Amino acid sequence: MAALIAIMVLVGGATRLTESGLSITEWKPVTGALPPLNHEQWSQAFDGYKAIPQYRELNAGMTLAQFKSIFWWEWSHRLLGRMIGVVYLLPFLWFMWRGSLGGELKRRLWVIFALGGLQGAVGWWMVASGLSQRVEVSQYRLATHLVLALLIYSAIVWTLRRLAARSPAVATARLKATSVILLVLTFVQLYLGALVAGLRAGKVYNTWPDIDGGFIPSTARLFFEQPWWRNLFDNTLTVQFEHRMVAYTLFTLAILHAVDAIRARVDGTVVRGALLLLAAITLQATLGILTLLNQVPIDLGLTHQGVAIVVLTLAVLQTERLAARRQPNALAQDRPLPIGQPG
């Protein structure tokens, strides 16, 4: 499931970078699983796209063949969403029928399933924002869609780790706190990255380390919209600047966390986890700079997004590794015996 969601996020990134997300203008959870099968159905789908502002203002004159190239990205993204729902639900129901799930694990899995259903609704809510008055989806809704997907992904990775019969690693309170802060900052950075993508802010201010002529832009340029807080989400300069500053903060904190782990002489798994996280954040920062300098080519953009998933995974694992447990393998303690197995 975690692998499928990671692929789903990458296909979603490609859908955004190829401007394909509005190519399907209807939400048909069941019948929409089938693509157009003949010329008449393709023409109907194309006519639906022609009726929205994106076609009229950005793609007027597009041929049917060109429409098909963006249609397949969005259709693949939605098909993956349907597959994930089936792949998750059928084994879940099977294990419940066999009586193989403990009470706490069952509750967690129901919550994850509910979040998955919510994600489908959020996806359409996002698409709907670009069908009437805009030529692209709302960056707010795009960021919500991405962060919710990665929250589900993180919940699955965390739950999987909690099924292992392990004791928590012994570490200082400071190490535990910095691991949590790193995880929270990673989610903040992912949200800001989605805002950058939604505003196409990576295609402007393509210099580094300066931005708009200096390391820190002028206040007048950062906060010219009213009310002031809208700049944090709508101003391309401010959003890109926020994304850069959080990246520097993450990098610095990852260094401090790794040094602290080494000096504290904690368990080797904690040190390795800290060093791997630092290495991934360093690679991600480098990719971010290259992506910016090259004005977001699709290959670098998707690589940047893929490594972001790796950073998130390592941050989740490090936090879980240091988090307290009631007892080893707590999720499985109240697991009933499968049907037919002697007591």
Side-chain angles (χ1 to χ4, degrees):
M1 286 306 307
L4 281 174
I5 293 174
I7 293 170
M8 177 81 163
V9 169
L10 290 176
V11 172
T15 300
R16 176 58 185 165
L17 290 172
T18 56
E19 302 286 355
S20 304
L22 296 176
S23 58
I24 301 177
T25 58
E26 296 179 304
W27 188 31
K28 297 179 178 179
V30 178
T31 59
L34 291 176
L37 300 175
N38 53 49
H39 182 74
E40 180 181 356
Q41 291 177 354
W42 274 113
S43 296
Q44 291 175 353
F46 193 18
D47 288 342
Y49 181 64
K50 289 178 179 179
I52 68 173
Q54 186 182 83
Y55 172 81
R56 296 193 300 270
E57 298 183 32
L58 298 181
N59 293 322
M62 171 184 277
T63 65
L64 180 59
Q66 292 171 326
F67 169 72
K68 288 180 179 181
S69 69
I70 64 171
F71 177 94
W72 286 120
W73 276 115
E74 176 65 7
W75 181 81
S76 299
H77 186 55
R78 296 191 187 193
L79 182 65
L80 265 173
R82 294 179 173 95
M83 285 178 55
I84 287 172
V86 172
V87 170
Y88 186 97
L89 182 60
L90 292 184
F92 181 30
L93 294 176
W94 167 260
F95 286 125
M96 283 201 300
W97 179 71
R98 292 295 303 271
S100 302
L101 303 177
E104 183 178 348
L105 178 58
K106 189 187 301 183
R107 286 190 293 273
R108 287 190 183 209
L109 295 178
W110 272 122
V111 169
I112 293 172
F113 179 73
L115 289 174
L118 176 62
Q119 176 71 335
V122 168
W124 175 247
W125 176 64
M126 177 191 69
V127 170
S129 67
L131 297 180
S132 57
Q133 299 178 342
R134 303 170 58 101
V135 296
E136 75 286 305
V137 299
S138 162
Q139 73 271 21
Y140 298 96
R141 300 187 188 190
L142 175 67
T144 302
H145 189 49
L146 174 64
V147 170
L148 181 55
L150 294 175
L151 179 63
I152 295 168
Y153 171 85
S154 300
I156 289 174
V157 172
W158 184 285
T159 300
L160 175 62
R161 290 280 297 180
R162 282 291 157 123
L163 289 173
R166 294 172 293 103
S167 299
V170 177
T172 64
R174 187 170 60 194
L175 270 175
K176 295 179 181 180
T178 53
S179 72
V180 173
I181 295 171
L182 279 166
L183 180 57
V184 171
L185 274 180
T186 299
F187 270 105
V188 172
Q189 183 69 332
L190 290 165
Y191 180 84
L192 292 173
L195 290 182
V196 169
L199 291 168
R200 301 184 182 88
K203 295 183 178 294
V204 292
Y205 309 108
N206 301 103
T207 57
W208 185 85
D210 64 302
I211 177 173
D212 196 34
F215 185 75
I216 299 177
S218 67
T219 303
R221 295 273 291 160
L222 287 172
F223 296 99
F224 66 86
E225 293 190 16
Q226 295 297 328
W228 67 268
W229 57 265
R230 291 187 62 88
N231 291 277
L232 303 177
F233 307 96
D234 293 339
N235 184 336
T236 54
L237 174 62
T238 308
V239 169
Q240 192 191 117
F241 179 67
E242 292 168 349
H243 195 51
R244 293 188 186 202
M245 292 299 106
V246 174
Y248 298 148
T249 304
L250 266 172
F251 179 65
T252 303
L253 186 60
I255 292 175
L256 295 175
H257 181 72
V259 170
D260 197 15
I262 294 170
R263 286 182 173 179
R265 298 184 179 181
V266 292
D267 186 89
T269 58
V270 176
V271 175
R272 285 193 296 272
L275 292 174
L276 283 173
L277 182 56
L278 173 59
I281 289 175
T282 304
L283 175 60
Q284 177 68 343
T286 304
L287 285 170
I289 294 167
L290 292 174
T291 302
L292 176 71
L293 294 178
N294 289 278
Q295 299 187 24
V296 199
I298 189 168
D299 53 349
L300 274 176
L302 288 180
T303 304
H304 186 52
Q305 189 168 24
V307 177
I309 298 173
V310 174
V311 170
L312 176 63
T313 305
L314 293 172
V316 170
L317 294 178
Q318 185 72 344
T319 304
E320 190 279 335
R321 187 178 289 119
L322 295 170
R325 297 174 180 83
R326 291 199 308 270
Q327 55 185 343
N329 204 19
L331 289 182
Q333 291 302 308
D334 59 346
R335 183 182 301 159
L337 291 171
I339 294 174
Q341 181 173 323

